[in-house]
Amino acid sequence: MTNVNDMLEVAVKAADGKRAEDLVALDIHEMSIITDSYLILSAPTERQVVAITDEIIDKMAEAGFQLVRQEGRSEGQWVLLDFGDLIVHVFKTETRDFYRLEKNWQAAPEIAIDQWTIKEDF
């Protein structure tokens, strides 16, 4: 059985390594029959959305997590990556602001992911 926290760790580190912004992980297993968790993140440009998407796919494959389905990569606005127990949403910033996906799942508890991101001092 796949541990969704292992999947989240790989995906978060991959996204963070490519400078993804505003990463949020939600535990939706009690609200959805489709998946257990969402990872939602954004990037300012289509090119960065695609770069983050590719990095997540590569790192997840290296860790042995199979991509079930992918949608939206060619547009670079909102990419959905379905890894079964984890669905990753990679948004262009304006698109995320428009759809406000987190608002639809506001009752879902947030999963702590800070331990997998790099803190930058400015």
Side-chain angles (χ1 to χ4, degrees):
M1 180 166 162
T2 302
N3 181 339
V4 74
N5 280 336
D6 293 340
M7 297 176 85
L8 261 174
E9 180 178 0
V10 172
V12 166
K13 286 179 175 179
D16 189 56
K18 288 291 181 182
R19 300 182 126 356
E21 300 173 350
D22 301 323
L23 286 80
V24 175
L26 301 175
D27 178 354
I28 63 167
H29 82 275
E30 291 186 8
M31 301 172 207
S32 172
I33 59 170
I34 297 170
T35 191
D36 289 339
S37 298
Y38 275 169
L39 176 61
I40 305 166
L41 53 103
S42 48
T45 67
E46 287 95 346
R47 174 179 260 168
Q48 195 171 1
V49 166
V50 172
I52 292 167
T53 297
D54 291 346
E55 184 74 0
I56 292 170
I57 291 169
D58 290 347
K59 296 298 183 188
M60 292 292 277
E62 287 174 16
F65 301 121
Q66 182 177 352
L67 180 63
V68 177
R69 185 173 56 125
Q70 172 182 184
E71 293 182 19
R73 185 183 180 283
S74 60
E75 293 83 16
Q77 295 288 318
W78 177 358
V79 181
L80 181 144
L81 302 173
D82 183 350
F83 292 98
D85 293 338
L86 172 66
I87 293 179
V88 181
H89 297 273
V90 185
F91 283 99
K92 185 172 178 203
T93 303
E94 296 85 37
T95 306
R96 182 176 182 179
D97 292 344
F98 179 81
Y99 285 103
R100 299 171 33 192
L101 187 63
E102 296 98 317
K103 189 165 176 60
N104 293 336
W105 296 96
Q106 63 189 7
E110 195 166 328
I111 301 167
I113 58 173
D114 288 350
Q115 69 272 25
W116 301 318
T117 59
I118 297 168
K119 310 297 181 276
E120 292 186 10
D121 296 324
F122 292 99

XYZ file of all heavy atoms in Angstrom, residues 7-96:
705
model
N 4.444 10.068 -0.941
C 4.153 10.696 -2.237
C 4.227 12.217 -2.103
O 4.833 12.898 -2.942
C 2.773 10.283 -2.735
C 2.632 8.809 -3.004
S 0.943 8.402 -3.484
C 1.054 8.739 -5.223
N 3.607 12.735 -1.055
C 3.609 14.181 -0.831
C 5.024 14.709 -0.663
O 5.364 15.750 -1.231
C 2.797 14.516 0.428
C 1.377 14.991 0.228
C 0.674 15.129 1.564
C 1.307 16.272 -0.558
N 5.844 14.001 0.095
C 7.213 14.449 0.316
C 7.970 14.594 -1.007
O 8.623 15.609 -1.258
C 7.962 13.501 1.242
C 9.387 13.933 1.493
C 10.152 13.042 2.450
O 9.591 12.046 2.944
O 11.335 13.346 2.695
N 7.861 13.593 -1.863
C 8.554 13.630 -3.156
C 8.028 14.783 -4.012
O 8.803 15.557 -4.587
C 8.406 12.280 -3.895
C 8.955 12.380 -5.313
C 9.105 11.166 -3.120
N 6.714 14.922 -4.086
C 6.114 15.966 -4.916
C 6.442 17.369 -4.395
O 6.766 18.269 -5.173
C 4.602 15.770 -5.007
N 6.368 17.555 -3.080
C 6.657 18.864 -2.493
C 8.113 19.241 -2.729
O 8.416 20.369 -3.141
C 6.325 18.877 -0.976
C 6.925 20.099 -0.295
C 4.819 18.831 -0.764
N 9.030 18.312 -2.489
C 10.452 18.613 -2.692
C 10.750 18.925 -4.163
O 11.532 19.831 -4.460
C 11.316 17.450 -2.205
C 11.394 17.366 -0.695
C 12.249 16.194 -0.256
C 12.433 16.169 1.250
N 13.247 15.011 1.689
N 10.116 18.199 -5.073
C 10.322 18.456 -6.500
C 9.804 19.846 -6.875
O 10.484 20.608 -7.559
C 9.627 17.379 -7.335
N 8.601 20.169 -6.428
C 8.005 21.475 -6.742
C 8.800 22.606 -6.113
O 9.098 23.618 -6.759
C 6.556 21.509 -6.258
N 9.172 22.434 -4.858
C 9.921 23.464 -4.152
C 11.286 23.688 -4.795
O 11.763 24.819 -4.886
C 10.076 23.068 -2.678
C 10.643 24.184 -1.828
O 10.055 25.287 -1.819
O 11.682 23.963 -1.174
N 11.898 22.617 -5.276
C 13.191 22.724 -5.941
C 13.137 23.526 -7.231
O 14.146 24.061 -7.685
N 11.955 23.613 -7.821
C 11.758 24.414 -9.034
C 11.054 25.741 -8.728
O 10.486 26.383 -9.606
C 10.937 23.624 -10.070
C 11.709 22.494 -10.710
C 12.797 23.031 -11.600
C 13.553 21.908 -12.275
N 14.644 22.411 -13.099
N 11.086 26.128 -7.462
C 10.565 27.410 -7.005
C 9.055 27.582 -7.135
O 8.554 28.670 -7.457
C 11.296 28.567 -7.669
C 12.806 28.540 -7.369
C 13.513 29.673 -7.951
N 14.361 30.590 -7.288
C 14.683 30.732 -6.010
N 14.169 29.967 -5.123
N 15.509 31.657 -5.591
N 8.328 26.518 -6.889
C 6.867 26.632 -6.829
C 6.492 27.549 -5.672
O 7.228 27.666 -4.692
C 6.241 25.252 -6.634
N 5.344 28.186 -5.793
C 4.894 29.141 -4.785
C 3.605 28.671 -4.132
O 2.811 27.961 -4.736
C 4.662 30.512 -5.447
C 5.914 31.073 -6.089
C 5.662 32.343 -6.889
O 4.481 32.710 -7.111
O 6.654 32.968 -7.310
N 3.413 29.111 -2.887
C 2.158 28.899 -2.156
C 1.703 27.438 -2.161
O 0.558 27.138 -2.513
C 1.054 29.798 -2.703
C 1.407 31.274 -2.603
O 2.026 31.656 -1.599
O 1.080 32.022 -3.532
N 2.572 26.541 -1.759
C 2.225 25.121 -1.711
C 1.264 24.852 -0.563
O 1.493 25.289 0.574
C 3.483 24.264 -1.517
C 4.393 24.107 -2.728
C 5.280 25.308 -2.920
C 5.231 22.862 -2.586
N 0.179 24.148 -0.883
C -0.822 23.772 0.113
C -1.190 22.311 -0.136
O -1.511 21.925 -1.262
C -2.098 24.638 -0.011
C -3.178 24.169 0.951
C -1.784 26.104 0.211
N -1.154 21.514 0.937
C -1.575 20.120 0.841
C -2.831 19.943 1.686
O -2.902 20.413 2.823
C -0.470 19.186 1.325
N -3.828 19.272 1.110
C -5.102 19.063 1.792
C -5.412 17.580 1.893
O -5.225 16.828 0.935
C -6.228 19.765 1.029
C -6.098 21.276 0.842
C -7.237 21.783 -0.043
C -6.091 21.991 2.185
N -5.911 17.174 3.048
C -6.349 15.803 3.280
C -7.843 15.743 2.952
O -8.673 16.244 3.714
C -6.105 15.422 4.738
C -6.568 14.026 5.081
O -7.191 13.358 4.219
O -6.316 13.589 6.217
N -8.165 15.152 1.812
C -9.578 15.125 1.393
C -10.157 13.707 1.394
O -11.230 13.481 0.851
C -9.762 15.774 0.001
C -9.019 15.006 -1.077
C -9.338 17.233 0.030
C -9.414 15.408 -2.482
N -9.469 12.767 2.027
C -9.890 11.368 1.944
C -11.292 11.122 2.493
O -11.971 10.206 2.050
C -8.858 10.440 2.610
C -8.978 10.327 4.085
N -8.399 11.234 4.934
C -9.617 9.411 4.840
C -8.681 10.872 6.177
N -9.411 9.782 6.153
N -11.748 11.942 3.430
C -13.103 11.759 3.967
C -14.164 12.460 3.126
O -15.357 12.255 3.336
C -13.163 12.249 5.413
C -12.365 11.368 6.351
C -12.531 11.753 7.808
O -13.384 12.607 8.110
O -11.809 11.179 8.635
N -13.734 13.279 2.156
C -14.676 14.048 1.343
C -14.725 13.603 -0.106
O -15.559 14.076 -0.862
C -14.284 15.523 1.370
C -14.269 16.115 2.729
S -13.577 17.768 2.635
C -12.933 17.904 4.267
N -13.801 12.736 -0.503
C -13.689 12.362 -1.904
C -13.441 10.867 -2.046
O -12.668 10.292 -1.289
C -12.528 13.133 -2.550
O -12.286 12.660 -3.853
N -14.087 10.272 -3.027
C -13.796 8.869 -3.328
C -12.726 8.766 -4.412
O -12.254 7.685 -4.716
C -15.067 8.109 -3.771
C -15.680 8.755 -5.020
C -16.069 8.043 -2.639
C -16.774 7.958 -5.668
N -12.322 9.897 -4.960
C -11.365 9.917 -6.070
C -9.925 9.801 -5.592
O -9.114 9.114 -6.196
C -11.548 11.206 -6.900
C -12.935 11.216 -7.524
C -10.479 11.329 -7.969
C -13.312 12.529 -8.154
N -9.582 10.502 -4.504
C -8.194 10.547 -4.039
C -8.158 10.828 -2.553
O -9.183 11.164 -1.945
C -7.396 11.615 -4.819
O -6.011 11.466 -4.542
C -7.843 13.017 -4.479
N -6.973 10.710 -1.957
C -6.801 10.998 -0.530
C -6.341 12.416 -0.267
O -6.729 13.029 0.713
C -5.785 10.025 0.092
C -6.328 8.619 0.206
O -7.557 8.437 0.186
O -5.512 7.681 0.315
N -5.465 12.937 -1.140
C -4.867 14.244 -0.887
C -4.711 15.059 -2.161
O -4.552 14.499 -3.243
C -3.477 14.081 -0.257
O -3.563 13.425 0.968
N -4.742 16.365 -1.972
C -4.426 17.323 -3.021
C -3.155 18.066 -2.626
O -2.983 18.435 -1.458
C -5.518 18.392 -3.150
C -6.704 18.065 -4.007
C -7.819 18.899 -3.985
C -6.743 16.961 -4.837
C -8.922 18.641 -4.770
C -7.847 16.696 -5.625
C -8.930 17.532 -5.585
O -10.030 17.273 -6.366
N -2.310 18.316 -3.601
C -1.216 19.263 -3.447
C -1.495 20.357 -4.464
O -1.615 20.084 -5.658
C 0.150 18.613 -3.703
C 1.351 19.563 -3.659
C 1.477 20.224 -2.285
C 2.628 18.824 -4.032
N -1.622 21.578 -3.985
C -1.948 22.718 -4.834
C -0.784 23.702 -4.747
O -0.301 24.007 -3.658
C -3.258 23.394 -4.378
C -4.397 22.367 -4.328
C -3.602 24.575 -5.278
C -5.631 22.840 -3.585
N -0.331 24.174 -5.902
C 0.793 25.107 -5.926
C 0.695 25.964 -7.164
O -0.112 25.715 -8.051
C 2.117 24.333 -5.891
C 2.266 23.244 -6.962
C 3.169 23.707 -8.069
C 2.796 21.980 -6.307
N 1.520 27.004 -7.200
C 1.457 27.904 -8.350
C 2.834 28.399 -8.762
O 3.812 28.238 -8.038
C 0.507 29.075 -8.071
O 0.763 29.664 -6.830
N 2.851 29.001 -9.941
C 4.051 29.587 -10.526
C 3.619 30.781 -11.375
O 2.513 30.788 -11.912
C 4.785 28.561 -11.384
N 4.497 31.780 -11.517
C 4.098 33.004 -12.213
C 4.000 32.917 -13.735
O 3.328 33.736 -14.348
C 5.174 34.021 -11.799
C 6.340 33.200 -11.368
C 5.804 31.899 -10.868
N 4.659 31.938 -14.358
C 4.638 31.872 -15.826
C 4.273 30.474 -16.310
O 4.449 29.488 -15.591
C 6.027 32.222 -16.413
O 6.959 31.190 -16.044
C 6.527 33.581 -15.920
N 3.796 30.392 -17.558
C 3.470 29.091 -18.150
C 4.720 28.211 -18.220
O 4.654 27.018 -17.955
C 2.899 29.253 -19.571
C 1.500 29.797 -19.626
C 1.474 31.316 -19.832
O 2.521 31.991 -19.682
O 0.377 31.827 -20.120
N 5.845 28.821 -18.572
C 7.095 28.057 -18.674
C 7.456 27.415 -17.333
O 7.889 26.268 -17.266
C 8.218 28.976 -19.138
C 9.568 28.302 -19.134
C 10.619 29.242 -19.622
N 10.860 28.896 -21.012
C 11.540 29.607 -21.863
N 12.036 30.764 -21.510
N 11.747 29.186 -23.077
N 7.280 28.160 -16.251
C 7.602 27.607 -14.931
C 6.583 26.540 -14.521
O 6.949 25.543 -13.895
C 7.673 28.716 -13.888
C 8.350 28.253 -12.609
C 8.621 29.387 -11.644
O 8.306 30.539 -11.892
N 9.217 29.042 -10.507
N 5.322 26.726 -14.872
C 4.310 25.696 -14.604
C 4.740 24.377 -15.246
O 4.706 23.316 -14.615
C 2.915 26.132 -15.117
C 1.940 24.956 -15.146
C 2.358 27.259 -14.260
N 5.161 24.439 -16.500
C 5.589 23.233 -17.224
C 6.858 22.643 -16.605
O 6.971 21.429 -16.433
C 5.763 23.527 -18.729
C 6.398 22.354 -19.445
C 4.414 23.877 -19.355
N 7.813 23.494 -16.230
C 9.060 23.014 -15.619
C 8.782 22.313 -14.287
O 9.342 21.239 -14.006
C 10.036 24.169 -15.417
N 7.913 22.887 -13.485
C 7.545 22.265 -12.204
C 6.828 20.948 -12.451
O 7.116 19.932 -11.807
C 6.670 23.230 -11.371
C 7.500 24.436 -10.916
C 6.049 22.500 -10.173
C 6.674 25.584 -10.366
N 5.909 20.951 -13.399
C 5.179 19.732 -13.751
C 6.138 18.618 -14.149
O 6.040 17.487 -13.645
C 4.196 20.027 -14.907
O 3.227 20.983 -14.460
C 3.503 18.771 -15.390
N 7.061 18.928 -15.037
C 8.023 17.921 -15.503
C 8.877 17.389 -14.359
O 9.154 16.191 -14.279
C 8.908 18.498 -16.605
C 8.151 18.753 -17.902
O 7.016 18.257 -18.047
O 8.699 19.456 -18.771
N 9.301 18.278 -13.463
C 10.130 17.867 -12.326
C 9.353 16.938 -11.390
O 9.890 15.937 -10.917
C 10.637 19.099 -11.566
C 11.586 18.786 -10.442
C 12.979 18.371 -10.882
O 13.267 18.313 -12.103
O 13.798 18.097 -9.987
N 8.103 17.274 -11.127
C 7.283 16.417 -10.261
C 7.120 15.046 -10.902
O 7.294 14.019 -10.237
C 5.912 17.065 -9.966
C 6.095 18.311 -9.099
C 4.964 16.063 -9.294
C 4.843 19.153 -8.942
N 6.800 15.006 -12.182
C 6.628 13.726 -12.879
C 7.908 12.902 -12.806
O 7.882 11.714 -12.489
C 6.199 13.950 -14.347
C 4.781 14.515 -14.405
C 6.284 12.644 -15.139
C 4.372 15.019 -15.774
N 9.052 13.529 -13.080
C 10.339 12.827 -13.060
C 10.667 12.281 -11.678
O 11.048 11.116 -11.527
C 11.474 13.748 -13.523
C 11.407 14.080 -15.004
O 10.640 13.421 -15.741
O 12.129 15.003 -15.432
N 10.549 13.119 -10.649
C 10.912 12.700 -9.284
C 9.945 11.643 -8.750
O 10.367 10.728 -8.031
C 10.960 13.902 -8.337
C 12.036 14.906 -8.688
C 13.435 14.309 -8.602
C 14.479 15.358 -8.878
N 15.831 14.832 -8.998
N 8.680 11.762 -9.092
C 7.709 10.757 -8.649
C 8.015 9.417 -9.319
O 7.967 8.369 -8.673
C 6.281 11.212 -8.949
C 5.827 12.410 -8.120
S 5.615 12.072 -6.366
C 3.959 11.378 -6.376
N 8.352 9.432 -10.606
C 8.694 8.196 -11.315
C 9.941 7.559 -10.709
O 9.991 6.340 -10.499
C 8.904 8.473 -12.798
N 10.957 8.388 -10.408
C 12.182 7.877 -9.777
C 11.883 7.203 -8.444
O 12.550 6.239 -8.070
C 13.187 9.011 -9.543
C 13.867 9.520 -10.793
C 14.734 10.744 -10.521
O 15.070 11.029 -9.343
O 15.079 11.433 -11.505
N 10.887 7.717 -7.723
C 10.515 7.165 -6.419
C 9.558 5.975 -6.548
O 9.168 5.377 -5.552
C 9.888 8.255 -5.550
N 9.163 5.668 -7.787
C 8.300 4.516 -8.017
C 6.813 4.806 -7.994
O 5.998 3.886 -7.938
N 6.436 6.075 -8.055
C 5.022 6.445 -8.065
C 4.575 6.684 -9.505
O 5.124 7.523 -10.211
C 4.769 7.694 -7.217
C 5.184 7.523 -5.783
C 6.134 8.360 -5.217
C 4.636 6.518 -4.998
C 6.527 8.208 -3.894
C 5.014 6.355 -3.666
C 5.962 7.200 -3.119
N 3.565 5.942 -9.915
C 3.113 5.972 -11.302
C 2.110 7.092 -11.557
O 1.145 7.262 -10.814
C 2.475 4.632 -11.666
C 2.012 4.560 -13.101
C 1.447 3.188 -13.439
O 1.534 2.243 -12.659
N 0.858 3.087 -14.609
N 2.342 7.835 -12.628
C 1.398 8.854 -13.076
C 0.240 8.150 -13.774
O 0.433 7.448 -14.765
C 2.085 9.831 -14.043
C 1.233 10.961 -14.601
C 0.757 11.897 -13.491
C 2.015 11.742 -15.646
N -0.957 8.324 -13.234
C -2.148 7.686 -13.784
C -2.711 8.512 -14.937
O -3.111 7.979 -15.970
C -3.225 7.499 -12.690
C -4.492 6.894 -13.254
C -2.679 6.656 -11.540
N -2.710 9.831 -14.752
C -3.327 10.716 -15.744
C -2.744 12.107 -15.603
O -2.362 12.540 -14.526
C -4.829 10.757 -15.491
C -5.645 11.528 -16.471
C -7.122 11.333 -16.188
N -7.450 11.704 -14.817
C -8.375 12.579 -14.477
N -9.095 13.162 -15.402
N -8.614 12.876 -13.222
N -2.693 12.810 -16.725
C -2.184 14.176 -16.763
C -3.081 14.996 -17.681
O -3.454 14.532 -18.750
C -0.742 14.145 -17.301
C -0.155 15.469 -17.567
C 1.258 15.368 -18.146
O 1.875 16.375 -18.348
N 1.775 14.189 -18.436
N -3.403 16.198 -17.243
C -4.212 17.082 -18.072
C -3.696 18.508 -17.979
O -3.234 18.933 -16.931
C -5.677 17.055 -17.612
C -6.360 15.721 -17.832
C -7.819 15.749 -17.408
O -8.402 16.843 -17.290
O -8.368 14.661 -17.188
N -3.773 19.254 -19.077
C -3.515 20.683 -19.089
C -2.083 21.126 -19.312
O -1.813 22.317 -19.314
N -1.160 20.192 -19.509
C 0.253 20.572 -19.618
C 0.502 21.498 -20.813
O 1.267 22.455 -20.709
C 1.140 19.332 -19.730
C 2.624 19.674 -19.719
C 3.487 18.428 -19.918
N 4.894 18.764 -19.899
C 5.542 19.322 -20.908
N 4.914 19.629 -22.025
N 6.827 19.595 -20.818
N -0.121 21.236 -21.941
C 0.163 22.028 -23.143
C -0.247 23.494 -22.988
O 0.365 24.370 -23.586
C -0.509 21.411 -24.368
O -1.909 21.360 -24.196
N -1.260 23.769 -22.173
C -1.700 25.146 -21.976
C -0.852 25.883 -20.945
O -0.704 27.093 -21.003
C -3.173 25.204 -21.541
C -4.150 24.742 -22.612
C -4.304 23.223 -22.645
O -3.900 22.547 -21.674
O -4.823 22.710 -23.645
N -0.331 25.165 -19.951
C 0.500 25.781 -18.921
C -0.236 26.700 -17.969
O 0.377 27.541 -17.311
N -1.538 26.563 -17.879
C -2.345 27.389 -16.976
C -2.720 26.629 -15.700
O -2.655 27.169 -14.605
C -3.629 27.859 -17.685
C -3.388 28.776 -18.845
C -2.934 30.142 -18.408
O -3.435 30.721 -17.444
N -1.941 30.680 -19.100
N -3.169 25.385 -15.884
C -3.575 24.528 -14.768
C -3.286 23.100 -15.191
O -3.941 22.565 -16.083
C -5.048 24.712 -14.473
C -5.637 23.857 -13.402
C -5.024 22.881 -12.646
C -6.987 23.881 -12.934
N -5.888 22.328 -11.753
C -7.112 22.922 -11.906
C -8.097 24.630 -13.290
C -8.315 22.693 -11.239
C -9.286 24.392 -12.617
C -9.397 23.438 -11.600
N -2.283 22.503 -14.571
C -1.926 21.124 -14.879
C -2.386 20.242 -13.730
O -2.130 20.535 -12.563
C -0.407 20.960 -15.085
C -0.067 19.516 -15.424
C 0.087 21.893 -16.183
N -3.092 19.181 -14.072
C -3.526 18.201 -13.096
C -2.688 16.945 -13.286
O -2.591 16.423 -14.395
C -5.010 17.882 -13.289
C -5.605 16.882 -12.312
C -7.031 17.266 -11.983
C -5.543 15.462 -12.834
N -2.059 16.493 -12.217
C -1.274 15.263 -12.222
C -1.918 14.294 -11.244
O -1.974 14.561 -10.040
C 0.172 15.536 -11.799
C 0.948 16.535 -12.637
C 2.295 16.826 -11.994
C 1.121 16.030 -14.052
N -2.407 13.188 -11.749
C -3.098 12.197 -10.929
C -2.150 11.033 -10.647
O -1.765 10.301 -11.561
C -4.345 11.716 -11.667
C -5.178 10.726 -10.882
O -4.723 10.245 -9.814
O -6.290 10.412 -11.336
N -1.784 10.892 -9.374
C -0.931 9.782 -8.943
C -1.726 8.802 -8.083
O -1.163 8.096 -7.254
C 0.281 10.305 -8.157
C 1.250 11.077 -8.996
C 1.218 12.463 -9.015
C 2.193 10.430 -9.780
C 2.117 13.188 -9.791
C 3.087 11.140 -10.566
C 3.049 12.522 -10.569
N -3.034 8.758 -8.279
C -3.871 7.847 -7.504
C -4.251 8.457 -6.170
O -5.209 9.207 -6.080
N -3.478 8.149 -5.121
C -3.784 8.657 -3.780
C -3.480 10.145 -3.630
O -3.890 10.770 -2.662
C -2.987 7.888 -2.719
C -3.432 6.434 -2.606
O -4.570 6.126 -3.011
O -2.637 5.619 -2.105
N -2.739 10.706 -4.575
C -2.377 12.126 -4.549
C -2.656 12.742 -5.914
O -2.241 12.206 -6.939
C -0.887 12.285 -4.220
C -0.308 13.704 -4.345
C -0.923 14.644 -3.309
C 1.206 13.671 -4.207
N -3.360 13.863 -5.894
C -3.554 14.642 -7.112
C -2.850 15.977 -6.904
O -3.059 16.654 -5.901
C -5.041 14.845 -7.456
C -5.666 13.496 -7.830
C -5.200 15.855 -8.588
C -7.123 13.539 -8.178
N -1.985 16.325 -7.856
C -1.235 17.578 -7.803
C -1.839 18.552 -8.807
O -2.051 18.203 -9.968
C 0.262 17.339 -8.129
C 1.034 18.649 -8.051
C 0.868 16.289 -7.192
N -2.105 19.763 -8.339
C -2.609 20.841 -9.187
C -1.520 21.897 -9.279
O -1.168 22.518 -8.277
C -3.863 21.470 -8.579
C -5.014 20.535 -8.449
N -5.913 20.330 -9.466
C -5.405 19.735 -7.424
C -6.827 19.459 -9.064
N -6.540 19.080 -7.833
N -0.981 22.095 -10.481
C 0.043 23.107 -10.708
C -0.615 24.238 -11.499
O -0.996 24.050 -12.653
C 1.256 22.541 -11.481
C 2.352 23.598 -11.597
C 1.786 21.269 -10.825
N -0.757 25.385 -10.863
C -1.462 26.516 -11.455
C -0.505 27.636 -11.856
O 0.474 27.897 -11.158
C -2.408 27.147 -10.428
C -3.682 26.427 -10.179
C -3.824 25.590 -9.089
C -4.770 26.608 -11.023
C -5.027 24.955 -8.826
C -5.981 25.970 -10.774
C -6.106 25.139 -9.676
N -0.848 28.332 -12.924
C -0.285 29.663 -13.142
C -0.992 30.555 -12.111
O -2.184 30.389 -11.839
C -0.568 30.146 -14.564
C 0.116 31.462 -14.845
C 0.004 31.863 -16.287
C 0.681 33.226 -16.458
N 0.187 33.917 -17.614
N -0.272 31.485 -11.531
C -0.781 32.262 -10.397
C -2.161 32.866 -10.658
O -3.068 32.718 -9.832
C 0.223 33.368 -10.012
O 1.477 32.748 -9.730
C -0.243 34.136 -8.791
N -2.346 33.530 -11.803
C -3.642 34.170 -12.074
C -4.765 33.145 -12.209
O -5.903 33.405 -11.832
C -3.600 35.004 -13.363
C -2.665 36.174 -13.335
C -1.236 35.798 -13.707
O -1.016 34.952 -14.590
O -0.318 36.351 -13.068
N -4.448 31.992 -12.762
C -5.456 30.948 -12.930
C -5.875 30.411 -11.569
O -7.067 30.184 -11.311
C -4.912 29.814 -13.828
O -4.456 30.396 -15.055
C -5.971 28.777 -14.125
N -4.912 30.217 -10.675
C -5.229 29.752 -9.322
C -6.101 30.775 -8.606
O -7.070 30.419 -7.928
C -3.945 29.514 -8.539
C -4.187 28.977 -7.139
C -2.886 28.678 -6.459
N -3.060 28.130 -5.134
C -2.059 27.776 -4.362
N -0.807 27.889 -4.792
N -2.282 27.291 -3.160
